[in-house]
C-alpha cells in the first residue's frame, strides 16, 4: 500500500445534490451571473431552465470548476473560457477546453474526491470500485482524524465522480444526456459488468491532450520555478503527469513538443537529470491565447 498523504484540510463530498455537471450547465450559469443575477432568486429556476435542486448543483459545479469565486463573481478563468465576446470556447467545442476544466476541478480541490482520486488513491489501485475507495478513506481516517466523512455521502459522491467521466452512449442529446461534462476526454475505463464492474484510470500517452494545456498547467503551478525536473512533472501533487494520467513516454512527448515550439523553453538531459527550463517565465494565459487564436 502506498503512503497515505491526503492534506489535512477540510474535505467536501457533497453540494451537487447527486447531479453530475452536464454539458451546458457551466455556460448557462456563467451567463446568469454575468447578468448579475443571484442563484437565490426565485426566478433562477425559470432563467436556468432546471429544477430547484439543479440550481444549487450548477452553482456548486461553477465553483468547483473555478468559473466563479465564493462570492459568485466570475473568475479570470471563467471569463476567459465562457465570455460571449472574448471567450476561448464558450460552448466547449474544443476538447482542450474539457481538459482545462478537468485540470481546474482536480487542482482546485473544492470537490475533494477529484483531488484525492488523481493525486492519491490512483497510485495504489489500478482497478477500483466504490468499496475500495471507501476502504481507502477509512484507512486514511485512522491516521488523519481530521478527515471526517459520512459513508452514504461518499457513496453518492463516488457515483457522481464516475458519471462525470463515464459516457452515456445511449443518449445523443447533449443537454438531456446524463453523460458527465468530462466523459469525452476518455480518462475513465469500465471493466466488467454488474457486480463485477470495476473502474480504471490508466496512465497512457493521451494523444488528444494538447501540449498547450500541459504547458498552461505547468505555468499555472505556483510551486514550480524556472527549472523543473521530469520527476516533479510526473509524480508530484497536481503535476501534469498526475492530473492528466500521463505515462512517462506521453509526458516526455508533450515536454519535448513544448520545448521545440517555444524558444524560451528547453528540455535538458545532463548526467541523467532530465529538466524543463524556462528562460523567461511566460504568462499561463498567453499560451491559451495563442492556442485558441485570441
Amino acid at each position: 500500500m502506498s503512503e497515505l498523504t491526503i492534506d489535512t484540510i477540510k474535505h467536501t463530498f457533497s453540494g451537487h445534490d447527486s447531479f453530475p455537471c452536464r454539458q451546458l450547465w457551466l455556460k448557462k450559469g456563467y451567463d446568469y451571473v454575468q447578468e448579475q443575477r443571484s442563484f437565490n432568486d426565485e426566478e433562477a429556476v425559470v432563467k436556468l431552465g432546471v429544477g430547484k435542486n439543479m440550481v444549487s448543483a450548477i452553482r456548486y459545479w461553477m465553483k468547483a470548476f473555478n468559473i466563479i469565486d465564493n462570492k459568485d463573481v466570475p473568475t479570470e478563468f471563467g471569463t476567459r473560457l465562457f465570455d460571449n465576446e472574448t471567450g476561448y470556447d464558450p460552448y466547449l467545442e474544443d476538447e482542450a477546453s474539457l481538459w482545462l476544466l478537468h485540470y481546474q476541478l482536480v487542482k482546485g480541490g473544492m470537490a475533494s474526491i477529484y483531488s484525492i482520486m488523481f493525486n492519491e488513491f490512483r497510485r495504489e489501485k489500478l482497478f477500483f470500485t466504490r468499496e475500495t475507495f471507501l476502504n481507502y478513506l477509512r484507512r486514511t481516517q485512522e491516521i488523519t482524524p481530521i478527515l471526517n466523512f459520512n459513508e452514504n455521502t461518499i457513496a453518492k459522491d463516488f457515483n457522481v465522480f464516475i458519471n462525470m467521466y463515464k459516457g452515456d452512449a445511449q443518449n445523443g442529446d447533449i443537454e438531456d444526456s446524463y453523460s458527465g461534462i468530462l466523459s469525452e476526454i476518455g480518462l475513465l475505463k469500465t471493466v466488467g459488468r454488474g457486480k463485477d464492474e470495476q473502474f480504471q484510470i490508466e496512465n497512457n500517452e493521451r494523444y488528444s491532450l494538447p501540449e498547450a494545456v500541459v504547458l498552461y498547467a505547468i505555468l499555472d503551478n505556483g510551486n514550480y520555478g524556472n527549472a523543473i525536473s521530469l520527476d516533479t512533472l510526473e509524480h508530484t501533487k497536481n503535476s501534469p503527469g498526475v492530473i492528466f494520467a500521463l505515462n512517462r513516454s506521453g509526458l516526455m512527448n508533450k515536454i519535448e513538443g513544448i520545448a521545440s515550439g517555444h524558444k524560451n523553453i528547453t528540455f535538458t538531459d545532463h548526467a541523467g537529470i532530465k529538466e524543463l527550463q524556462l528562460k523567461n517565465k511566460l504568462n499561463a494565459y498567453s499560451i491559451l491565447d495563442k492556442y485558441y487564436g485570441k
Side-chain angles (χ1 to χ4, degrees):
M1 182 177 71
S2 65
E3 183 180 2
L4 305 178
T5 58
I6 292 177
D7 294 340
T8 54
I9 59 174
K10 182 179 179 181
H11 290 83
T12 303
F13 298 103
S14 61
H16 43 62
D17 286 304
S18 298
F19 293 111
C21 186
R22 299 188 188 175
Q23 287 284 352
L24 300 182
W25 278 10
L26 299 181
K27 174 58 177 167
K28 281 186 176 183
Y30 177 83
D31 290 345
Y32 185 78
V33 297
Q34 276 294 85
E35 296 172 357
Q36 298 185 331
R37 299 181 184 275
S38 170
F39 288 106
N40 296 320
D41 291 346
E42 291 184 6
E43 64 181 2
V45 170
V46 176
K47 292 292 183 181
L48 292 169
V50 297
K52 187 175 181 180
N53 289 348
M54 286 186 179
V55 171
S56 298
I58 289 174
R59 184 185 193 186
Y60 170 85
W61 287 120
M62 289 186 71
K63 291 180 179 180
F65 280 111
N66 190 31
I67 307 305
I68 58 174
D69 62 19
N70 287 329
K71 295 182 179 180
D72 294 349
V73 175
T75 62
E76 180 178 9
F77 174 75
T79 299
R80 284 181 177 270
L81 186 59
F82 287 111
D83 186 82
N84 282 324
E85 299 297 327
T86 61
Y88 293 140
D89 186 17
Y91 295 98
L92 305 179
E93 297 169 303
D94 191 320
E95 194 169 312
S97 304
L98 301 181
W99 282 110
L100 287 169
L101 287 172
H102 164 73
Y103 166 77
Q104 295 288 344
L105 183 62
V106 176
K107 179 208 170 191
M110 176 184 164
S112 301
I113 191 172
Y114 300 87
S115 179
I116 293 172
M117 187 68 72
F118 282 88
N119 281 300
E120 298 290 341
F121 176 66
R122 201 171 60 84
R123 297 176 187 270
E124 77 162 46
K125 285 290 182 181
L126 181 60
F127 298 96
F128 60 91
T129 64
R130 182 174 64 187
E131 188 58 32
T132 56
F133 182 69
L134 271 169
N135 286 338
Y136 177 83
L137 292 183
R138 292 184 190 115
R139 296 197 308 275
T140 304
Q141 191 177 43
E142 291 177 1
I143 60 175
T144 313
I146 196 172
L147 177 62
N148 295 315
F149 60 87
N150 175 282
E151 293 197 3
N152 288 331
T153 301
I154 294 292
K156 293 177 182 178
D157 203 28
F158 182 88
N159 290 342
V160 169
F161 169 86
I162 294 300
N163 288 326
M164 285 281 282
Y165 291 93
K166 183 180 179 182
D168 178 9
Q170 304 302 314
N171 196 329
D173 189 310
I174 291 178
E175 176 61 4
D176 292 335
S177 172
Y178 285 89
S179 292
I181 194 171
L182 301 175
S183 60
E184 293 179 29
I185 60 178
L187 275 169
L188 183 75
K189 291 182 179 180
T190 303
V191 181
R193 294 183 179 181
K195 294 181 180 179
D196 295 324
E197 185 178 54
Q198 296 185 81
F199 306 100
Q200 180 186 21
I201 301 172
E202 182 184 18
N203 285 357
N204 64 34
E205 298 280 344
R206 303 291 168 208
Y207 295 111
S208 71
L209 171 63
E211 293 167 3
V213 174
V214 175
L215 180 54
Y216 168 82
I218 293 170
L219 296 173
D220 185 59
N221 193 319
N223 294 322
Y224 295 160
N226 290 333
I228 317 158
S229 71
L230 182 63
D231 284 343
T232 295
L233 293 171
E234 184 177 13
H235 297 300
T236 57
K237 181 178 180 180
N238 291 334
S239 66
V242 169
I243 283 188
F244 301 126
L246 284 160
N247 60 20
R248 173 154 286 212
S249 173
L251 180 60
M252 283 280 291
N253 288 336
K254 303 296 184 190
I255 297 302
E256 288 173 351
I258 288 168
S260 65
H262 296 82
K263 63 181 180 180
N264 291 321
I265 301 177
T266 58
F267 183 62
T268 62
D269 185 355
H270 296 307
I273 300 175
K274 297 179 174 63
E275 193 172 70
L276 185 71
Q277 296 180 345
L278 311 173
K279 296 177 182 178
N280 295 306
K281 198 157 188 181
L282 302 166
N283 178 277
Y285 284 111
S286 70
I287 303 304
L288 298 184
D289 289 344
K290 183 178 179 180
Y291 176 83
Y292 286 102
K294 298 294 181 178

